[in-house]
């Protein structure tokens, strides 16, 4: 059963069991032990939250706080089970008993679950926020200490023993629990949302039940079957609902639903503390309540005394914190790293520069809000793989820097591999599964630089090497400096070439193997380099992609190709022009509209254009590929799959996606000679295409034997050097003019 459906069913079961237990308590009335209500329904109401909590822990495997809550609820349910089974047999349990072990274990586990995320956020919040939380905690503790005064007095006045200690532990743990969640809620301020509200209600119900139970026990008025019995079950159920909601929204940014003014909790806590002191002057209250109230007022007054210092410290902290991830930002990195290196100048350290691969595609495809969610989860995973002594900062965009204190080169490489491994697991972002990678550059202190600027520059060069070689990570070497300088020069030349119209389009004809006619051409870009002459795509396309210039390049090729198609259309030449479109361009939601605009401006039919895409795009995101291709196909633009069969992919997309043509990868055609297995594979692929009503194009046809074999086995179109190399439009027109119309006699003459 999918985890989401399992969660829904468990929640319904929990709600049903709790409702049945409450109804049972109403109708049974107070009295002796009832096997059905106190036994069956009571135990079910305790163990149903356990099931919900552990299901949540299974979903949120990286959330220690969720696991701790599940353990806390389990301990309480186990203690209650022992207590109920003893009560069924009429036993009076000693204090302490195994039941007390289960009950008391609930509190430290729950407190730890509340504390872990709060502690993790301490370094990202200002001192005023921390003080607000402390004031709220102490104020809540002071009020609860007044309410628990009879219990505390009875415990203190009793003879000191293990039983007395256990009895005292319950009200003290309740006091800590209430103080804890009030303090954390105060520190969250405006971030308090529905899920936190559910948790607060659950813990308040739980603690209030403890207090009422203790007071009733002191007065001798507690009886089995009273509404107090339901308090723990309701409290645990609310805690379970909170855990379930938290696990299902892990890594998701959710808006606040309460607009709580910043000073609300501290103000209420201060008033409550004053009230405790006033009450204490009239009637006896515990010394603990007086001390807590006094501390509340002292901390509440601290900002008035140190207002300027605190405000300045808070401003400095906020200025050095990345708003999205809560990590130190570039400013903090430039401030902190020199200080750390100076304090630890004798030890070797390493600076890692990490850049996410294909992050721009996530932003363009799914939107910037999903991109932000991804960055939040990435920051969390990276932090989970680092030591407390290491420094992780977000420099901006999808770039992170990590300072590894006291790290050897080997250790730095190990950490880099661990970080890449952590990011290799899929990310679930608002219901969408995304898989990304990362490239990491490593520079070493002091071997490769003694200042942050030098270390960053060399780590950046190393990161580029990791990207270009697809190695994932790379430690800086002196040769990288030359490569980095050369890359910058090439990038400058590339930008100048795009600006100065140095890119031209050549056309390779596609011959119909049945009629011999040329009905289409493929547009292929070339760089007319001022120094190197004609440069082929293999030498510059990767640089175009890395520089983020592929959309610009695609627009240039489309514009030139459609300009030429318009000329041929005016000459009554009905040639379909095929243009390669990269995955980074296809994720642009505005691409179909821009293409339609280019066609309309030139008076061309959409059917005069064919877009060639790769299997990689089809397999990366099937739903998005279908949405884009359907939109293009509805406009009348034809779609071809380029390099078909070159990857390891499922053929199901041939059934699901609107495709007109398959282009069999040239590696198959060039391997046919002397290899019967390849020729058989080519023949079967042609049959597959025809069975799906698709045209089959063979690219890379370089011999007469290949041409004749393809024609004899029903291949539709041939393209390759045997037919013609890619040539400028003027040469292609001469070649077309020299060809006889209609069916060819023999083999076409190559250029």
């Amino acid at each position: 059963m999918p985890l989401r459906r399992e969660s829904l069913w468990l929640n319904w079961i929990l709600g049903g069991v709790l409702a049945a237990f409450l109804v049972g308590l109403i109708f049974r009335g107070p009295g002796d032990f009832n096997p059905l209500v106190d036994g069956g329904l009571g135990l079910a109401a305790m163990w149903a939250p356990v099931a919900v909590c552990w299901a949540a822990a299974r979903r949120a495997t990286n959330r220690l706080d969720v696991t701790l809550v599940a353990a806390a609820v389990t301990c309480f349910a186990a203690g209650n089970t022992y207590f109920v089974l003893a009560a069924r047999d009429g036993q009076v349990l000693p204090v302490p008993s195994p039941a007390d072990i289960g009950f008391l274990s609930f509190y430290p586990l729950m407190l730890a679950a509340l504390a872990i995320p709060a502690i993790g956020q301490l370094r990202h919040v200002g001192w005023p926020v921390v003080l607000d939380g402390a004031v709220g905690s102490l104020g809540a503790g002071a009020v609860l200490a007044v309410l628990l005064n009879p219990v505390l007095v009875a415990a203190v006045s009793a003879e000191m023993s293990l039983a007395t200690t256990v009895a005292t532990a319950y009200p003290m743990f309740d006091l800590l629990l209430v103080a804890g969640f009030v303090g954390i809620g105060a520190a969250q301020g405006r971030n308090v949302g529905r899920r936190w509200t559910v948790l607060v209600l659950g813990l308040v119900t739980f603690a209030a039940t403890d207090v009422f139970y203790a007071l009733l026990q002191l007065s001798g008025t507690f009886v089995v079957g009273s509404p107090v019995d339901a308090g723990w079950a309701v409290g645990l159920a609310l805690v379970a609902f909170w855990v379930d909601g938290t696990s299902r929204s892990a890594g998701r940014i959710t808006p606040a639903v309460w607009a709580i003014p910043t000073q609300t909790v501290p103000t209420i806590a201060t008033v409550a503390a004053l009230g405790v002191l006033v009450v204490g002057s009239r009637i006896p209250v515990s010394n603990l309540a007086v001390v807590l109230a006094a501390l509340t007022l002292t901390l509440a007054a601290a900002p008035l005394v140190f207002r300027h210092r605190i405000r300045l410290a808070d401003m400095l902290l906020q200025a050095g914190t990345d708003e999205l991830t809560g990590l130190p930002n570039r400013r903090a990195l430039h401030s902190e790293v020199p200080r750390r290196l100076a304090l630890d100048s004798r030890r070797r350290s390493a600076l890692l520069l990490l850049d996410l691969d294909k992050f721009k595609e996530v932003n363009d495809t799914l939107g910037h809000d999903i991109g932000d969610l991804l960055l939040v989860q990435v920051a969390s995973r990276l932090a989970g793989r680092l030591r407390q002594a290491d420094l992780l900062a977000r420099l901006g965009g999808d770039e992170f820097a990590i300072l590894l204190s006291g790290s050897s080169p080997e250790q730095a490489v190990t950490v880099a591999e661990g970080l890449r491994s952590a990011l290799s697991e899929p990310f679930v972002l608002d219901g969408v599964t995304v898989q990304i990678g990362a490239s990491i550059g490593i520079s070493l202190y002091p071997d490769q630089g003694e200042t942050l600027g030098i270390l960053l520059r060399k780590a950046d060069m190393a990161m580029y090497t990791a990207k270009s070689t697809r190695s994932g990570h790379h430690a800086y070497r002196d040769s990288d400096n030359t490569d980095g300088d050369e890359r910058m020069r090439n990038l400058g030349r590339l930008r100048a070439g795009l600006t100065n119209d140095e890119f031209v389009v050549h056309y390779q004809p596609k011959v119909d193997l049945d009629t011999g006619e040329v009905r289409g051409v493929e547009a292929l870009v070339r760089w007319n380099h001022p120094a190197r002459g004609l440069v082929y795509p293999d030498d510059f396309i990767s640089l175009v992609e890395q520089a983020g210039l592929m959309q610009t390049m695609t627009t240039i090729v489309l514009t030139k190709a459609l300009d030429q198609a318009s000329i041929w259309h005016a000459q009554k030449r009905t040639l379909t022009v095929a243009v390669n479109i990269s995955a980074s361009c296809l994720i642009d939601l505005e691409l179909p509209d821009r293409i339609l605009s280019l066609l309309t401006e030139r008076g061309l039919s959409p059917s005069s254009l064919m877009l060639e895409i790769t299997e990689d795009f089809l397999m990366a995101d099937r739903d998005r590929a279908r949405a884009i291709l359907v939109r293009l196909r509805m406009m009348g633009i034809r779609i071809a799959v380029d390099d078909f069969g070159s990857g390891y992919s499922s053929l199901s997309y041939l059934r699901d996606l609107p495709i007109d043509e398959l282009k069999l990868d040239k590696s198959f055609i060039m391997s046919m000679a002397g290899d019967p297995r390849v020729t058989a594979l080519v023949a079967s692929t042609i049959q597959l295409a025809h069975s799906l009503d698709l045209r089959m194009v063979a690219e890379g046809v370089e011999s007469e034997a290949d041409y004749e074999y393809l024609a004899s086995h029903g291949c539709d179109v041939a393209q390759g050097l045997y037919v013609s190399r890619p040539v400028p439009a003027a040469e292609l027109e001469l070649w077309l003019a020299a060809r006889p119309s209609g069916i060819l006699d023999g083999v076409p003459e190559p250029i």
Side-chain angles (χ1 to χ4, degrees), residues 511-516 661-664 669 672 682-683 685-687 689-690 694-699 701 706-719:
V511 174
D512 188 310
L513 287 169
D514 185 32
T515 65
E661 189 174 279
L662 297 180
K663 295 190 70 175
L664 189 61
I669 308 303
M672 284 197 305
V682 170
T685 305
I686 294 171
Q687 294 175 7
H690 290 166
L694 302 175
R695 285 166 54 86
M696 174 57 73
V697 178
E699 57 180 347
V701 179
D706 291 343
Y707 186 92
E708 291 178 345
Y709 179 86
L710 292 167
S712 65
H713 282 78
C715 185
D716 299 292
V717 177
Q719 175 185 350

Side-chain angles (χ1 to χ4, degrees), residues 133-424:
V135 169
S137 292
L138 292 170
V143 172
L144 191 60
V146 172
L147 296 175
L148 290 172
N149 187 57
V151 181
L152 295 173
V153 170
V156 172
S157 61
E159 183 179 349
M160 198 63 186
S161 65
L162 183 58
T164 304
T165 303
V166 171
T168 308
Y170 283 104
M172 295 305 296
F173 271 135
D174 279 321
L175 191 150
L176 288 173
L177 193 61
V178 171
F181 69 71
V182 169
I184 294 170
Q188 288 187 0
R190 291 180 177 269
N191 295 323
V192 177
R194 290 188 184 91
R195 294 190 182 92
W196 180 258
T197 308
V198 172
L199 174 64
V200 169
L201 288 175
L203 294 180
V204 166
T205 303
F206 193 92
T209 305
D210 274 351
V211 173
F212 281 119
Y213 173 76
L215 295 175
L216 290 173
Q217 283 283 60
L218 278 175
S219 62
T221 57
F222 174 76
V223 291
V224 177
S226 67
V228 175
D229 291 341
W232 293 294
V234 172
L236 292 182
L238 291 172
V239 170
F241 288 139
W242 169 74
V243 170
D244 178 75
T246 299
S247 67
R248 282 188 281 111
S249 62
R252 190 179 302 175
I253 298 175
T254 55
V257 296
W258 284 4
I260 301 178
T262 306
Q263 294 299 316
T264 299
V265 173
T267 300
I268 294 174
T270 302
V271 172
L274 286 171
V276 168
L277 294 179
V278 171
V279 170
S281 67
R282 303 293 182 184
I283 62 174
V285 297
S286 66
N287 292 332
L288 178 62
V290 174
V291 171
L292 291 175
L295 287 174
T296 302
L297 295 176
T298 301
L299 282 184
L304 299 176
V305 179
F306 302 103
R307 179 179 299 171
H308 178 70
R309 284 176 178 262
I310 292 173
R311 182 178 298 172
L312 180 61
D314 187 49
M315 290 174 60
L316 289 174
L317 178 63
Q318 295 301 323
T321 302
D322 176 58
E323 291 185 3
L324 178 64
T325 62
L327 296 175
N329 59 17
R330 182 183 292 272
R331 183 183 289 105
L333 184 79
H334 281 270
S335 172
E336 184 68 13
V337 170
R339 185 185 68 82
R340 293 194 180 198
L341 295 179
L343 290 174
D344 207 11
S345 59
R346 294 184 180 181
R347 298 177 65 193
R348 303 178 74 180
S349 298
L351 183 72
L352 277 59
L353 198 60
L354 182 149
D355 185 82
L356 300 181
D357 298 333
K358 299 184 178 180
F359 176 73
K360 184 177 184 297
E361 295 180 14
V362 174
N363 259 348
D364 293 342
T365 304
L366 303 175
H368 289 275
D369 54 337
I370 300 298
D372 287 347
L373 289 177
L374 175 59
L375 290 173
V376 171
Q377 291 194 23
V378 165
S380 176
R381 289 195 190 180
L382 294 178
R385 287 296 184 111
L386 297 173
R387 302 168 301 177
Q388 190 172 1
D390 300 329
L391 175 65
L392 170 64
R394 180 186 173 216
L395 302 185
D398 61 338
E399 198 170 51
F400 296 82
I402 302 104
L403 178 68
L404 303 177
S405 301
S407 173
S408 67
E410 295 77 17
Q411 290 171 331
V413 169
T414 300
V415 171
E417 291 173 346
L419 295 177
R420 293 189 66 245
S421 175
L423 299 182
S424 65

Side-chain angles (χ1 to χ4, degrees), residues 109-134:
L109 289 171
M110 197 70 210
L111 285 166
L114 292 173
I116 285 174
I119 292 172
Q121 294 174 1
L122 278 180
R123 60 177 177 172
H124 307 312
V125 299
W127 276 107
V129 177
V130 176
L131 281 174
D132 287 350

